[in-house]
Amino acid sequence: YFGIKELVCPDVYERFGESAWQFLDARLLHTLYVIREIIGRPVIVNNWAKGGNYSQRGLRCNVCPLVKEKTSLEKVYITAHLQGIAVDFHVPGMSTAEVRRLIIDNQRLLPYPIRIERDTDGWIHIDMRNDDENFKIVEFYA
């Protein structure tokens, strides 16, 4: 369902091309595939390669504006997006509440435990959890 340009920032793609897959956690890719199956509609992470505005919703690198800003302010910024274990996305024609509910209602189908950000408007954030809970979803506020 996804090409690498949809999952990494433009700078990573420019530098590494198709080999940028190496920076994405296999658990995230498997989970994203299952979520796409659950939803049954296109899932939009980044769309910069097609002229869209989204470029930092998957893997981010040190020159991405969100990361660069934190660095210039000398703030520690360790996000799951930098580690290749998080994505933000939306589903055209569905509200974030509808998408979140579908994922939560079908969490038994998820191959790995995830965190899902609560009450976002316009996007869903998921990231991988590094614990041994039995495929539960943890909802959190950013």
Side-chain angles (χ1 to χ4, degrees):
Y1 293 118
F2 300 94
I4 192 62
K5 291 178 183 178
E6 297 173 88
L7 301 174
V8 302
C9 70
D11 296 299
V12 168
Y13 186 78
E14 183 178 319
R15 170 69 175 84
F16 296 98
E18 291 295 315
S19 69
W21 287 106
Q22 69 184 306
F23 303 118
L24 296 167
D25 190 290
R27 296 172 305 153
L28 175 67
L29 296 173
H30 188 183
T31 300
L32 195 54
Y33 177 85
V34 170
I35 287 172
R36 171 62 177 81
E37 287 283 309
I38 289 168
I39 294 169
R41 294 181 180 204
V43 169
I44 310 300
V45 181
N46 288 329
N47 60 5
W48 59 265
K50 295 180 179 178
N53 296 326
Y54 302 119
S55 64
Q56 298 179 73
R57 297 189 343 165
L59 179 71
R60 298 176 189 156
C61 73
N62 63 309
V63 296
C64 284
L66 286 171
V67 179
K68 201 172 185 179
E69 175 188 352
K70 303 287 186 195
T71 302
S72 71
L73 296 172
E74 297 184 8
K75 292 188 178 212
V76 173
Y77 186 65
I78 301 175
T79 174
H81 289 278
L82 286 167
Q83 300 170 55
I85 60 171
V87 293
D88 300 331
F89 64 89
H90 71 277
V91 178
M94 293 182 74
S95 72
T96 54
E98 291 172 312
V99 173
R100 193 176 291 107
R101 178 59 31 217
L102 262 177
I103 294 168
I104 291 169
D105 288 349
N106 290 283
Q107 64 183 288
R108 71 189 180 289
L109 301 174
L110 297 176
Y112 302 99
I114 64 168
R115 294 184 336 136
I116 189 166
E117 191 172 352
R118 296 182 77 170
D119 299 332
T120 53
D121 187 24
W123 76 92
I124 299 288
H125 169 96
I126 63 157
D127 59 51
M128 305 314 299
R129 293 175 48 209
N130 289 319
D131 57 31
D132 58 0
E133 298 270 337
N134 290 322
F135 307 142
K136 293 181 183 177
I137 292 176
V138 170
E139 293 183 86
F140 73 99
Y141 291 104

